[in-house]
Amino acid sequence: DHGVKDGDILLDYGCGSGILSIAALHFGASRCIGVDVEAEALVTAERNIELNGWDGRFQGLHTREVLPYDVCPPRGASLCVANILIGQLVRPSMVAALTTNLEDGGLLCLSGIRPGEVDALKEAYTGFEWLDDQYGELSAVDTTNSIESYGFDCGRWARIVGRKKVEKDSFIQQMSDLAVS
């Protein structure tokens, strides 16, 4: 129950080359929305999607185009992945962009963080049930042919996965109810 399922929509925040979107499409996602601050990354991601035979199933957006509740209306994306350093992940604008564009019950996977930063990250993303069985740590020394084999020390990195709790009375729902009453 933790992963890409047929028909899912992936929000790939900080998409870079598009590799996570390509993997999600391969595993059954119906489409992917890639977001990046670098225009060149979006061009590269779109080209890589095309080269892998997934034309028409990827939409690239610059971060300036992302608004709360607007990326994948009406429900939001099924999954969101963001491999971004904690300094950006905890910014209120980033928290809002990720959480409001994810459907209730959707999965959020955050990586690019150090193990000691996990608790601060969880505090910034309220409204999630954190799936402890999906927590992971990795060091480049644990991988074959890693950059550390060239003498670089990359340290340990962590990944957390959470499921967005169902908002029974969200602010948007309350405003909507007032508008029709």
Side-chain angles (χ1 to χ4, degrees):
D1 192 30
H2 308 309
V4 178
K5 297 184 291 293
D6 285 345
D8 278 346
I9 299 171
L10 175 76
L11 176 57
D12 183 358
Y13 217 92
C15 66
S17 68
I19 189 67
L20 296 178
S21 288
I22 292 167
L25 291 165
H26 176 76
F27 286 117
S30 62
R31 70 186 181 105
C32 296
I33 302 158
V35 178
D36 210 290
V37 69
E38 297 290 336
E40 296 84 6
L42 293 170
V43 170
T44 299
E46 288 171 357
R47 179 69 177 136
N48 286 336
I49 295 285
E50 179 184 310
L51 288 170
N52 281 274
W54 302 107
D55 297 6
R57 297 185 47 197
F58 179 84
Q59 175 188 7
L61 297 173
H62 191 276
T63 53
R64 290 186 206 138
E65 297 176 276
V66 176
L67 299 173
Y69 302 99
D70 189 52
V71 171
C72 188
R75 293 184 357 224
S78 318
L79 305 158
C80 176
V81 293
N83 184 30
I84 302 172
L85 297 175
I86 193 167
Q88 294 299 312
L89 283 173
V90 297
R91 292 180 63 192
S93 59
M94 175 77 74
V95 173
L98 299 182
T99 60
T100 63
N101 287 298
L102 184 65
E103 70 184 11
D104 287 347
L107 291 174
L108 175 65
C109 177
L110 304 174
S111 57
I113 54 176
R114 300 293 188 172
E117 299 168 334
V118 168
D119 290 337
L121 195 57
K122 287 180 177 180
E123 286 179 30
Y125 286 82
T126 59
F128 283 84
E129 171 193 350
W130 296 104
L131 308 175
D132 292 335
D133 65 326
Q134 295 297 306
Y135 176 80
E137 287 186 21
L138 180 69
S139 175
V141 296
D142 300 331
T143 59
T144 306
N145 299 322
S146 73
I147 194 167
E148 285 193 359
S149 65
Y150 297 102
F152 294 99
D153 179 11
C154 299
R156 290 196 69 73
W157 295 90
R159 173 198 67 228
I160 60 173
V161 178
R163 184 173 304 282
K164 186 176 177 184
K165 296 177 185 173
V166 175
E167 295 183 31
K168 294 188 179 174
D169 292 318
S170 71
F171 176 75
I172 296 294
Q173 184 63 45
Q174 292 171 9
M175 294 297 105
S176 178
D177 290 346
L178 286 173
V180 294
S181 62

